Amino acid sequence: MSIIDSETATPSRRTMLRSAALLGSGMALTAGGGAALAAADSEMARIRKAAESNRDADIRRIQDWIRLPSIAAENLNMAEGAAYMADLARSAGFTGVTTVPSDGHPGVFGVMDNGAKRTLGIYFMYDVKQFDPAEWSSPPLEARIVDKPGWGKAIMGRGAVNQKGPEATLLATLHAMKKAGVKPPVNLVLLCEGEEEIGSPHFKQIATRPDVLAALKKCEGIFIPASWQGANGEVQVNLGSKGVIELELVASGEKWGRGPKGDIHSSYKAMVDSPAWRLVQALQTLVTPDGNNVAIGGWSDNVRPLTDREKALIAEAAKGMNEAQMKQAFGLTHWIDDLPFEQALVRLAQEPTANIEGLVAGYTGPGGKTVLPGRAVAKMDFRLVPNQTRAEAEAKLRAHLDSRGFTDIEANVSGGYDPTEVAEDSRLIKAELAAYAKLGVKANLNPRLAGSWPGAVFTAPPVSIPAGHFGIGHGSGAHAPDEYYVVESTNPKVAGITEATLGYAEIMYQLASVR
């Protein structure tokens, strides 16, 4: 029996997703590219048939993977997660698959030489965020199929959309190609890490190991699979991403030399300094009074403002976005400073940020407990934009705290990386646009993703290749309870797992042909 009923894709939906072929042919092609894409259409029919017959196995692959959580922040199942990732890669047809050691958790590397002229890189992460089962409506490691009104049937579990669902769907593409007897039209390089959720502190070590670096430098570009289709079926083609620094600011009586070294009775506050208030005072100096702008000295000196082209792209994308729907999804009634939607989107792309992820001090359980904490911690992330760098930002944060007398406040950086920029005329971006056009999916060019991923490891020397995101399908809830990935779409504009599988095949064909 099937895990779930057959996908409700009607012939018209399939036609929609493979229509607009003439739109794709408008992209510049290499000599003979038109003939190559015609052949690809014939092969795609065979791939579809194989993907449909593999569908239950493809869904189980996602579910099984979710049931093995690798959480870098908790050092949970990291060796097991790398070994599992390596097995998945081998099963999909990658050769020379190896576990790559680092000073932290290991990565996984493999290649697929298909005798093609061009090579495409694929980035995976096998780690996931922490979770509290009490916050979930379905157990986060059971990977149950649930109904998501307006979307369809979905796998719910930690890592479902970030990133195991999309990544396993790309692997499903390779399984379908193998079953169909179709050789991928590009060579493939797969590089995986297990520390993305803690800021990829050792990923550059993995990516620049000589054999890995040599393989990456052959790539026309590299992408991370994504499943971010909106309700109208639209996607974003990101021309970059913000960088990030993740850290803890710690105030303690021991480092300060004032206040207690451990928790004491709160009655002593009348005569004892408080490290918790010390931390609050330090935090207040980092931002403007409303908390919306970074006030660290020199923080924005090197920030590159958005170009007129980038602002125009945002304006165009805003026309097709549903502001009310976005606010509802976030539980919001206002943007910062009550900005109009387009200006809020400009700010989203343009501004660096200082964010408090969590505050921890003293007792946080049920009821009260009258203590004066000896230690207080602020978990923070700082988002960076071009032309800021992680190293510059770390130095400016430390200098800011010291200059204001907070030399005792520890800044313990756990990870992070620089912002990423990708040329609009790169082959990777051209191939993405051509693939979406061929699939009949509306794609908006987005100057910068407000989120972060370690793409700068690829775009910066010594690798120096374009890096981005690609994929169709839908999921949501990354880092949150009830994370899900749609496998059977009831929205005719949004791909289920079979159509998403074909989408990854399409990007391979387009990269093989686009100039």
Side-chain angles (χ1 to χ4, degrees):
M1 180 181 292
S2 294
I3 294 174
I4 56 177
D5 295 338
S6 297
E7 189 169 354
T8 56
T10 63
S12 61
R13 175 171 175 241
R14 291 178 178 175
T15 300
M16 179 276 294
L17 285 171
R18 289 291 294 165
S19 67
L22 292 177
L23 292 176
S25 66
M27 301 298 293
L29 303 176
T30 60
L37 288 180
D41 285 340
S42 174
E43 292 179 345
M44 193 69 80
R46 292 154 55 192
I47 297 169
R48 172 184 288 281
K49 184 177 179 180
E52 288 171 345
S53 67
N54 285 349
R55 188 167 174 275
D56 285 357
D58 294 339
I59 291 171
R60 279 194 296 270
R61 186 179 298 112
I62 300 171
Q63 292 174 306
D64 290 345
W65 199 2
I66 287 171
R67 290 164 185 153
L68 176 65
S70 299
I71 302 177
E74 298 175 353
N75 195 22
L76 177 68
N77 296 328
M78 297 311 299
E80 295 87 346
Y84 197 91
M85 179 70 254
D87 287 342
L88 288 173
R90 292 187 190 100
S91 176
F94 287 95
T95 61
V97 176
T98 58
T99 300
V100 183
S102 76
D103 289 343
H105 299 303
V108 175
F109 167 63
V111 299
M112 188 183 295
D113 185 352
N114 297 309
K117 292 182 179 179
R118 291 182 179 168
T119 300
L120 174 63
I122 300 165
Y123 166 86
F124 278 10
M125 50 185 277
Y126 64 85
D127 64 320
V128 298
K129 272 294 185 187
Q130 309 93 307
F131 58 87
D132 179 355
E135 298 176 339
W136 290 63
S137 64
S138 177
L141 297 184
E142 290 190 10
R144 293 177 184 174
I145 302 291
V146 302
D147 288 311
K148 296 297 295 183
W151 298 104
K153 292 186 182 297
I155 299 172
M156 182 173 287
R158 176 52 83 222
V161 71
N162 185 27
Q163 278 288 129
K164 292 178 177 179
E167 290 172 352
T169 301
L170 190 149
L171 297 177
T173 304
L174 299 176
H175 282 279
M177 286 180 153
K178 188 190 307 184
K179 188 170 187 176
V182 173
K183 183 178 291 188
V186 290
N187 307 315
L188 298 171
V189 173
L190 177 67
L191 189 60
C192 321
E193 69 160 317
E195 296 184 327
E196 198 281 339
E197 296 293 13
I198 58 171
S200 303
H202 303 102
F203 185 52
K204 188 171 183 179
Q205 280 185 3
I206 295 168
T208 55
R209 194 175 82 164
D211 57 335
V212 177
L213 178 60
L216 288 174
K217 289 183 76 69
K218 296 177 182 177
C219 295
E220 298 289 339
I222 190 166
F223 73 87
I224 178 173
S227 297
W228 298 338
Q229 275 190 289
N232 294 324
E234 75 284 356
V235 295
Q236 290 184 337
V237 174
N238 299 308
L239 300 178
S241 302
K242 288 185 178 180
V244 70
I245 305 172
E246 195 162 10
L247 55 85
E248 291 182 345
L249 293 184
V250 182
S252 66
E254 183 175 6
K255 289 284 185 180
W256 187 18
R258 306 183 67 86
K261 291 183 178 180
D263 294 359
I264 63 173
H265 197 283
S266 67
S267 63
Y268 290 106
K269 180 64 195 78
M271 61 188 296
V272 176
D273 291 303
S274 167
W277 282 117
R278 176 73 169 170
L279 179 63
V280 169
Q281 291 163 353
L283 291 172
Q284 287 177 326
T285 72
L286 302 181
V287 292
T288 52
D290 58 9
N292 292 335
N293 295 285
V294 184
I296 295 170
W299 190 257
S300 297
D301 287 352
N302 297 325
V303 167
R304 177 181 69 75
L306 292 176
T307 65
D308 289 343
R309 169 64 174 163
E310 288 170 330
K311 290 179 181 178
L313 290 175
I314 292 172
E316 182 62 28
K319 294 176 184 177
M321 298 174 71
N322 188 321
E323 179 182 12
Q325 187 180 68
M326 184 180 290
K327 283 182 174 178
Q328 182 180 23
F330 293 157
L332 298 174
T333 55
H334 300 273
W335 304 119
I336 278 178
D337 298 330
D338 293 320
L339 290 172
F341 187 44
E342 183 181 325
Q343 292 182 34
L345 291 175
V346 168
R347 200 180 194 286
L348 181 66
Q350 181 172 273
E351 295 300 321
T353 63
N355 176 60
I356 298 174
E357 300 173 356
L359 291 169
V360 183
Y363 178 71
T364 59
K369 186 178 181 183
T370 50
V371 297
L372 192 166
R375 187 174 186 270
V377 179
K379 293 180 178 289
M380 300 194 69
D381 62 68
F382 293 83
R383 302 284 172 174
L384 310 176
V385 300
N387 290 316
Q388 292 180 302
T389 68
R390 170 186 168 173
E392 166 208 355
E394 286 184 33
K396 287 180 176 178
L397 172 62
R398 183 70 266 167
H400 172 90
L401 291 170
D402 292 350
S403 69
R404 281 155 180 76
F406 295 105
T407 56
D408 56 290
I409 300 290
E410 300 173 69
N412 300 324
V413 178
S414 58
Y417 30 80
D418 295 345
T420 303
E421 292 191 275
V422 184
E424 189 175 341
D425 63 354
S426 65
R427 279 184 179 148
L428 179 67
I429 298 301
K430 286 180 178 179
E432 288 189 18
L433 291 171
Y436 286 131
K438 191 71 179 287
L439 294 164
V441 173
K442 177 175 171 52
N444 300 312
L445 278 171
N446 177 35
R448 189 173 304 138
L449 180 70
S452 305
W453 73 294
V457 171
F458 304 117
T459 58
V463 183
S464 303
I465 60 173
H469 309 76
F470 180 84
I472 55 176
H474 173 79
S476 189
H479 298 191
D482 288 355
E483 180 181 355
Y484 68 89
Y485 177 68
V486 172
V487 290
E488 178 186 322
S489 175
T490 55
N491 181 337
K493 296 181 179 180
V494 175
I497 190 170
T498 299
E499 298 295 348
T501 297
L502 295 170
Y504 292 122
E506 191 64 62
I507 184 66
M508 297 181 200
Y509 283 107
Q510 294 295 341
L511 187 74
S513 299
V514 73
R515 281 185 188 158

